[in-house]
Amino acid sequence: TARVRLRFEPSGVQVSVPPGVTVFEAASWNGVAIDSTCGGHGTCRKCKVRIAAGEVPVSRHDPRAFDAERLRQGWRLACLAQATGDLTVEVPPLTTRPKAATVGVGRQVILRPAVQKRYLELAEPSLADQTPDVERIVRALDDLEVIPDLHVYRRAGRVLRAADFKVTAVVVGTALIDVEPGDTTARRYGIAFDLGTTTVVATLLDLATGAPAAVASMLNLQQPYGADVISRISAAMLDPAALDRLRDAARDTLARLTGEVCARAGVAREEVYEIALAGNATMVHLALGIDPEPLGVAPFVMAARSFPELLAGDLGVPVHPRARAVVLPALGAYVGGDIVAGALAAGMDRDRRLRLLIDVGTNCEIVLGDADRLLATAAPAGPAFEGAQIRCGMRAAPGAIETVRIDPAAGRVALGVIGDAAPAGLCGSGLVDAVAELRRTGLLDASGRLADPDAARRISPALAERLATVDGERAFLLTGPDAAEPVYLSQRDIRELQFAKGAIATGWRLLLEEYGAAEPDIRQVLLAGSFGSYLSPASAIRIGLVPRLAPTRIVSAGNVAGEGAKLALLSAQERAGALALLEEVRYVELSDRPDFNDRFVGELAFPG
Ligand code: FES
């Protein structure tokens, strides 16, 4: 789809967005603040802007905010003004300074959470004023148009009378979900979940400041059903009862983390009014109790790309009983809500530079593009990066070797180990480092073969001592010949890494071709995910995992999926941005390409 360009005055900020996005959203996504107290719902009439160039038809609500003369001059409510063509928009100075927070990959986000609170001091009813209780509350919320939940009708009478009609209304989006006695406006929280196949992370956010109040993580309790999404889908297919058990395991994981973050921050569960969840399509299906079978077999179909408004209780998250849940939408069965969240957090759709986002994992998702065009694909990298199928592989936990430096002149190998522990194994970043260093020193050739002892002796006699035969295959001893439990890298381990990086490199190279660009055109590579974030850029380049750019252009982006979930909680406009991404990103399927295998084989070499 062609995009439309908006220019905001007096800031001079220029943005391009998909047609149909509102002026308010386009401004919010790009850090341009427009006045609002309703958060873009068309009810506060504060988001006044003037369309100085371009056409925006008068909306239903505009005549209530402006007289005929001002309408003629181009004044519109920004949250109702859809940009269908290029526009120049004049933004008046703000009457209230909105708070902003830095989230994701350095993104400045204007705080406009869907959760809002209003303290109300209501007139007590009398025989002369018999306004019903809930109507009295709704009327007082004059800048918000809300629909009360049944919960509110049940509680209002008691709460109003117990609190002398001084209450706080709790609104999520357009739903009035509760009335609380007294002034509780200072306390409103949300939880952002990154529901990973392996690890699940919860961040409790103070929605008033955007700051995290507590963070906790644990292994997904679905682990016993398999390490990757395919084995969990198979588990659900083989045994009808397994689907329920997998759902319950996901819910238990989310519930435990909820208890932990609330306890750590001293926040009552009832003060959490909304949650957001980013996960791959399989994790989301399982957590919602939806049969994932169609995801696992060609043609790989999801139940839905996005889910309508859900309750936190639908995901088993024990917070406020009427708390809402936002599930980040997915592009496809293998480009899920986690990568949509990541693209959102990285601002992939609003940067003019050509950028590449790689979420390195068992299933590796890749997004390439800029503000004009975005392409995405998924590459089956296999479990090597998680430490599986690697002889001495382990997760990034205490004892894992995470960095490796080989000094051929001194004949030494320097290891960086997680925690204050003796080396017990090799995690993904250590694996990449080890192979890159062996390649750099010539102990490994471009085809991925370890040097024979004679060749190795010519490089360094001391290092040649570390070449051993373990279980009938050549291996390089990382921990040195006299370690009690040696940690080594075997020839087959190196092959595993070759397959993983070959799949990923094939993925981004094919996307580059589709885009019509070449390696040097890429301005930035973002390495994301629990594994990718810890990779050494130089090593990633040396093994050919990422394009050959200056190492400073290869940036660790952190847990972008979790950051995207935070964004969805902190800004209703960002949430709309995630949905807009579904229209903007074109998914490129690799598995049906006739040349995939040839390309993959061509990517197996280590460039060095
Ligand atoms: Fe409130 Fe537009 S009317 S933001």
Side-chain angles (χ1 to χ4, degrees):
T1 44
R3 297 172 64 107
V4 298
R5 286 176 191 281
L6 279 74
R7 182 186 171 84
F8 292 97
E9 298 292 358
S11 61
V13 171
Q14 296 200 45
V15 308
S16 73
V17 294
V21 161
T22 68
V23 170
F24 190 77
E25 283 167 355
S28 294
W29 294 350
N30 294 282
V32 176
I34 295 177
D35 255 339
S36 159
T37 55
C38 76
H41 281 111
T43 51
C44 72
R45 291 179 223 154
K46 291 204 159 70
C47 58
K48 295 173 178 165
V49 296
R50 195 177 82 84
I51 309 298
E55 278 304 318
V56 173
V58 174
S59 78
R60 194 159 52 92
H61 290 292
D62 284 325
R64 294 208 267 156
F66 308 106
D67 60 22
E69 175 60 18
R70 303 256 281 170
L71 288 175
R72 218 175 2 260
Q73 290 167 349
W75 286 90
R76 300 287 185 272
L77 291 176
C79 70
L80 300 169
Q82 290 191 341
T84 52
D86 295 353
L87 301 175
T88 301
V89 181
E90 275 175 26
V91 181
L94 298 172
T95 53
T96 51
R97 189 99 228 119
K99 291 203 191 83
T102 308
V103 192
V105 185
R107 297 218 25 227
Q108 271 290 309
V109 175
I110 300 162
L111 295 184
R112 299 216 200 272
V115 176
Q116 300 197 59
K117 280 189 164 185
R118 290 278 193 284
Y119 175 57
L120 308 171
E121 293 190 356
L122 302 169
E124 298 204 14
S126 61
L127 284 176
D129 171 12
Q130 295 177 319
T131 309
D133 287 338
V134 175
E135 201 176 312
R136 191 176 296 276
I137 297 164
V138 169
R139 269 196 211 163
L141 295 168
D142 52 359
D143 65 335
L144 301 173
E145 252 167 45
V146 296
I147 301 165
D149 281 0
L150 177 59
H151 183 74
V152 175
Y153 293 99
R154 287 182 174 144
R155 267 169 60 85
R158 203 164 2 103
V159 172
L160 284 173
R161 280 161 193 87
D164 291 330
F165 287 80
K166 296 181 177 62
V167 294
T168 300
V170 186
V171 176
V172 184
T174 55
L176 175 63
I177 68 162
D178 210 349
V179 268
E180 296 173 339
D183 183 355
T184 64
T185 49
R187 296 184 69 82
R188 47 179 170 142
Y189 295 89
I191 302 178
F193 290 104
D194 168 18
L195 178 57
T197 313
T198 307
T199 307
V200 185
V201 185
T203 307
L204 179 69
L205 282 177
D206 182 337
L207 297 177
T209 62
V215 185
S217 69
M218 63 182 276
L219 290 180
N220 189 327
L221 292 171
Q222 291 176 343
Q223 285 294 316
Y225 297 89
D228 52 33
V229 294
I230 295 299
S231 48
R232 300 218 193 136
I233 294 172
S234 315
M237 283 164 66
L238 290 173
D239 172 7
L243 176 59
D244 286 352
R245 287 203 291 271
L246 281 158
R247 183 201 57 207
D248 293 346
R251 296 163 69 115
D252 282 351
T253 311
L254 299 174
R256 277 197 212 177
L257 289 170
T258 300
E260 204 168 317
V261 288
C262 287
R264 272 192 208 167
V267 167
R269 291 159 183 263
E270 292 70 31
E271 294 177 303
V272 175
Y273 305 102
E274 191 169 49
I275 65 163
L277 183 140
N280 64 53
T282 305
M283 287 307 109
V284 167
H285 278 58
L286 289 174
L288 288 171
I290 301 169
D291 185 0
E293 181 171 343
L295 296 172
V297 290
F300 314 113
V301 174
M302 299 183 283
R305 295 200 294 171
S306 63
F307 294 93
E309 192 172 80
L310 299 167
L311 293 177
D314 296 332
L315 288 154
V317 177
V319 287
H320 187 285
R322 300 301 301 165
R324 301 306 203 247
V326 182
V327 172
L328 274 292
L331 276 165
Y334 291 95
V335 185
D338 48 354
I339 195 69
V340 170
L344 183 72
M348 293 297 287
D349 59 336
R350 47 205 90 169
D351 202 306
R352 313 191 83 80
R353 302 170 296 171
L354 184 62
R355 299 196 299 162
L356 179 63
L357 172 68
I358 307 180
D359 192 328
V360 190
T362 306
N363 176 57
C364 173
E365 295 98 355
I366 307 169
V367 183
L368 173 81
D370 55 23
D372 284 325
R373 204 143 55 92
L374 285 172
L375 303 173
T377 194
F385 295 123
E386 316 277 359
Q389 261 144 62
I390 302 298
R391 300 303 163 278
C392 296
M394 68 180 281
R395 283 209 190 90
I401 298 172
E402 59 171 348
T403 63
V404 178
R405 289 290 164 269
I406 301 178
D407 180 350
R412 266 205 302 269
V413 179
L415 304 176
V417 181
I418 300 177
D420 220 355
L426 193 60
C427 71
S429 59
L431 172 67
V432 171
D433 245 19
V435 171
E437 284 292 280
L438 287 171
R439 181 77 193 96
R440 182 177 65 85
T441 50
L443 290 165
L444 187 72
D445 68 15
S447 75
R449 208 183 352 257
L450 279 168
D452 60 50
D454 283 342
R457 259 189 294 279
R458 284 193 292 277
I459 295 164
S460 157
L463 291 177
E465 299 280 299
R466 290 175 177 255
L467 282 171
T469 304
V470 181
D471 294 338
E473 55 168 334
R474 191 164 290 170
F476 183 79
L477 300 170
L478 289 162
T479 44
D482 35 51
E485 276 292 329
V487 178
Y488 60 89
L489 185 69
S490 79
Q491 185 63 66
R492 263 188 291 166
D493 295 340
I494 296 168
R495 294 281 178 243
E496 292 289 340
L497 180 66
Q498 270 180 297
F499 291 145
K501 85 99 190 173
I504 293 171
T506 308
W508 58 254
R509 232 180 260 285
L510 287 171
L511 284 191
L512 264 180
E513 275 177 31
E514 288 278 331
Y515 189 93
E519 254 179 277
D521 298 330
I522 300 176
R523 289 282 148 264
Q524 192 178 50
V525 177
L526 299 157
L527 287 173
S530 52
F531 165 63
S533 308
Y534 294 103
L535 270 182
S536 135
S539 295
I541 295 171
R542 199 162 279 132
I543 70 160
L545 183 66
V546 298
R548 214 163 245 289
L549 304 174
T552 50
R553 291 196 186 277
I554 317 254
V555 177
S556 155
N559 170 13
V560 286
E563 290 295 301
K566 283 194 212 169
L567 280 170
L569 281 182
L570 293 177
S571 159
Q573 282 67 45
E574 291 292 333
R575 196 177 295 180
L579 278 174
L581 275 172
L582 298 190
E583 305 305 318
E584 296 174 75
V585 183
R586 186 162 70 81
Y587 177 65
V588 179
E589 177 68 53
L590 293 187
S591 64
D592 64 352
R593 289 189 60 122
D595 59 343
F596 181 82
N597 273 337
D598 290 344
R599 305 289 298 253
F600 171 69
V601 171
E603 291 296 341
L604 289 178
F606 294 126

